[in-house]
Amino acid sequence: MELVRYIFACLFIILGVVVFIIGVIGVYQFKFVLNRMHSAALLDTMGLFFVALGCAIARNFDAITIKILIVVGFLWITSPLSSHLIAKLEFFTDENLNDEITNDLSETKEDNNDSRDL
């Protein structure tokens, strides 16, 4: 039974690390700053959940597991809040934000028109 528990713990920890890696790739893949931040914020929260769940399963749900869950709860509250505040700051302080959005949309329209011509 202990082997099964450690297998599940390892699977959840590996899944969390994979989610973190996907988040890092997403941060480098997107050009627009708000898309990058959105990718980082969502995937770090989900990756943290899976890693913490794997650690909790490995610890067999003892007192340290409660501490891990308290830390996860704190980070689940603060990570989206800080991401929202950074996005709001970017929105209000970036003078070229409207140009970037317009350019991004015009590239998408050109791509769609090219595919229709074929």
Side-chain angles (χ1 to χ4, degrees):
M1 186 66 182
E2 191 162 324
L3 179 65
V4 173
R5 187 182 67 189
Y6 281 119
I7 289 173
F8 277 115
C10 289
L11 287 176
F12 280 120
I13 291 172
I14 290 170
L15 181 63
V17 170
V18 167
V19 168
F20 281 134
I21 291 171
I22 291 170
V24 169
I25 292 170
V27 167
Y28 285 112
Q29 186 72 24
F30 292 121
K31 297 179 206 172
F32 190 51
V33 66
L34 295 176
N35 290 343
R36 289 180 181 183
M37 191 187 55
H38 182 71
S39 170
L42 284 178
L43 293 175
D44 102 9
T45 304
M46 188 168 46
L48 175 71
F49 170 73
F50 285 127
V51 169
L53 183 63
C55 291
I57 291 172
R59 291 291 304 178
N60 201 16
F61 298 105
D62 59 355
I64 295 176
T65 303
I66 294 171
K67 292 177 187 177
I68 291 172
L69 294 177
I70 289 171
V71 168
V72 168
F74 179 74
L75 290 174
W76 271 10
I77 292 170
T78 57
S79 179
L81 182 67
S82 63
S83 297
H84 177 75
L85 290 176
I86 292 170
K88 201 172 191 180
L89 177 73
E90 177 70 21
F91 179 75
F92 285 120
T93 60
D94 191 1
E95 297 171 356
N96 300 324
L97 185 65
N98 196 19
D99 295 335
E100 291 178 24
I101 292 172
T102 305
N103 289 337
D104 193 31
L105 289 175
S106 63
E107 289 175 9
T108 305
K109 288 179 184 176
E110 290 173 6
D111 293 341
N112 289 338
N113 289 336
D114 292 339
S115 64
R116 289 181 191 162
D117 292 338
L118 298 176

